[in-house]
Amino acid sequence: DTAVSQTPKYLVTQMGNDKSIKCEQNLGHDTMYWYKQDSKKFLKIMFSYNNKELIINETVPNRFSPKSPDKAHLNLLINSLELGDSAVYFCASSLLQGSHSPLHFGNGTRLTVT
Amino acid sequence: DQQVKQNSPSLSVQEGRISILNCDYTNSMFDYFLWYKKYPAEGPTFLISISSIKDKNEDGRFTVFLNKSAKHLSLHIVPSQPGDSAVYFCAASSNAGGTSYGKLTFGQGTILTVHP
């Protein structure tokens, strides 16, 4: 009965590859997010979607492509992976966007690019 | 340009005592503040929040204080328990229009260790 689940938990890949991370929420929330936790431990927003519509795109390189087939899913495709992409990526959801609804996070995907 | 800062990377307290975690922000447009707790290998979980129209919000052992003039907030945990040992993140948001709408800006976290 996991609320926000993301797969895989760990992802090790080589530079130049393309990989995707999947996220699903069963909370019935309207808004989903991708956050990146960098080496300095800051959590920074990458994207947010509200009912499959892109709301926030935080100056993320074009190599990162979010895809929301429905409001319960938000996947992240990363093309031409670089060493600097190594980080922990968190998916999250909230009931409403902009109403100060608390975020519910998944357990993260640790991406290591070698 | 870190708009939310937690200047103490770690804090160690004895069980039963008070834990005080601090957070500073620079963006005067922030009008809502939250604290999240994170255990290893898990995602952050929401703990408590406060609107900028208040200066205090309490939920059981957890109290958040907001000092708008100082752009400072703090989380008090009384009494502290070993199960409170985790990373605590401060976050802020603004309901202003534009691209900041609904976006959370996080601090870098403070590792709290509560010793039995």
Side-chain angles (χ1 to χ4, degrees):
Chain A
D1 60 345
T2 306
V4 180
S5 60
Q6 51 183 112
T7 55
K9 190 169 180 65
Y10 299 97
L11 186 52
V12 181
T13 188
Q14 292 184 327
M15 285 175 55
N17 285 347
D18 303 337
K19 291 293 179 185
S20 66
I21 307 171
K22 297 182 185 298
C23 179
E24 175 182 3
Q25 55 96 3
N26 62 6
L27 296 167
H29 287 170
D30 287 337
T31 308
M32 296 186 72
Y33 308 80
W34 278 109
Y35 275 79
K36 176 181 179 181
Q37 187 177 29
D38 59 23
S39 57
K40 294 184 179 179
K41 304 301 181 187
F42 284 98
L43 276 157
K44 295 183 180 177
I45 190 167
M46 300 174 68
F47 303 101
S48 79
Y49 270 73
N50 188 54
N51 264 322
K52 303 192 297 176
E53 180 184 351
L54 180 66
I55 301 298
I56 294 175
N57 182 340
E58 265 310 281
T59 59
V60 176
N62 291 336
R63 300 183 294 103
F64 291 79
S65 303
K67 291 282 189 283
S68 183
D70 55 61
K71 76 172 192 176
H73 295 84
L74 180 62
N75 304 322
L76 184 65
L77 172 65
I78 314 171
N79 294 318
S80 304
L81 277 155
E82 300 177 357
L83 292 176
D85 297 332
S86 296
V88 182
Y89 293 84
F90 288 96
C91 176
S93 71
S94 65
L95 181 60
L96 299 171
Q97 191 239 4
S99 65
H100 303 315
S101 295
L103 301 185
H104 295 252
F105 283 89
N107 286 336
T109 295
R110 182 174 293 277
L111 171 65
T112 304
V113 182
T114 61
Chain B
D1 178 28
Q2 299 302 338
Q3 299 182 54
V4 178
K5 293 182 181 179
Q6 295 173 253
N7 292 317
S8 297
S10 62
L11 174 67
S12 182
V13 300
Q14 205 68 30
E15 181 178 6
R17 306 294 289 267
I18 184 171
S19 295
I20 301 176
L21 298 115
N22 294 303
C23 178
D24 297 296
Y25 62 96
T26 57
N27 189 339
S28 57
M29 297 299 292
F30 287 145
D31 59 2
Y32 199 72
F33 304 89
L34 308 92
W35 285 93
Y36 283 79
K37 176 180 177 178
K38 184 183 179 303
Y39 292 117
E42 293 184 9
T45 55
F46 170 71
L47 195 56
I48 192 169
S49 62
I50 188 168
S51 165
S52 61
I53 62 173
K54 295 185 175 181
D55 54 18
K56 177 183 174 181
N57 188 26
E58 194 170 349
D59 183 3
R61 296 185 297 115
F62 302 91
T63 303
V64 56
F65 295 92
L66 175 62
N67 183 335
K68 286 193 298 280
S69 60
K71 293 191 175 66
H72 177 84
L73 66 155
S74 60
L75 174 68
H76 292 209
I77 307 174
V78 181
S80 301
Q81 299 173 353
D84 296 330
S85 298
V87 180
Y88 288 79
F89 289 96
C90 167
S93 73
S94 166
N95 244 354
T99 58
S100 63
Y101 195 64
K103 164 185 158 185
L104 277 185
T105 301
F106 283 85
Q108 69 270 52
T110 296
I111 302 170
L112 173 65
T113 304
V114 181
H115 298 284

